[in-house]
């Protein structure tokens, strides 16, 4: 997502200025599970969690939210770098 993605990431981090870490983390996890990433989605889900109301995250209303495809990262490339640095 380039520069826009960095901006979104910082906005999500800034939610910690107003909300508890547990709530923000749950909002991020829920957004990933729903297949959306972005500040608007995370903030909506955090507020729904705090207000104890069901989220109304109809993705057809938010066509600009990028779809998330989260996969497990392999640690092998990082381990190779560490091994190479030692020799």
């Amino acid at each position: 997502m380039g520069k826009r993605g960095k901006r979104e990431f910082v906005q999500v981090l800034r939610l910690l200025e107003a909300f508890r870490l547990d709530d923000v983390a749950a909002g991020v996890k829920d957004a990933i599970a729903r297949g959306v990433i972005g500040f608007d989605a995370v903030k909506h889900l955090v507020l729904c969690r705090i207000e104890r109301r069901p989220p109304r995250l109809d993705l057809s209303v938010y066509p600009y939210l990028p779809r998330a495809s989260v996969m497990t990262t392999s640690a092998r490339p990082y381990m190779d770098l560490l091994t190479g640095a030692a020799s």
Side-chain angles (χ1 to χ4, degrees):
M1 291 174 54
K3 188 175 183 178
R4 189 176 127 224
K6 290 175 187 170
R7 193 174 306 122
E8 293 268 332
F9 178 69
V10 170
Q11 286 180 302
V12 169
L13 288 178
R14 292 205 59 196
L15 288 173
L16 294 170
E17 295 174 346
F19 303 108
R20 295 177 347 165
L21 175 61
D22 293 346
D23 293 327
V24 175
V28 169
K29 287 179 185 176
D30 196 9
I32 291 170
R34 291 170 182 271
V36 295
I37 52 175
F39 172 72
D40 290 334
V42 173
K43 184 177 180 184
H44 174 75
L45 294 167
V46 168
L47 289 171
C48 288
R49 176 182 166 90
I50 291 169
E51 296 170 359
R52 298 179 192 264
R53 61 182 168 91
R56 297 178 191 248
L57 194 58
D58 179 4
L59 298 181
S60 65
V61 178
Y62 301 99
Y64 59 89
L65 288 177
R67 301 289 188 254
S69 175
V70 180
M71 300 180 334
T72 304
T73 302
S74 171
R76 173 58 41 208
Y78 302 107
M79 296 306 294
D80 290 344
L81 286 172
L82 290 174
T83 308
S87 50

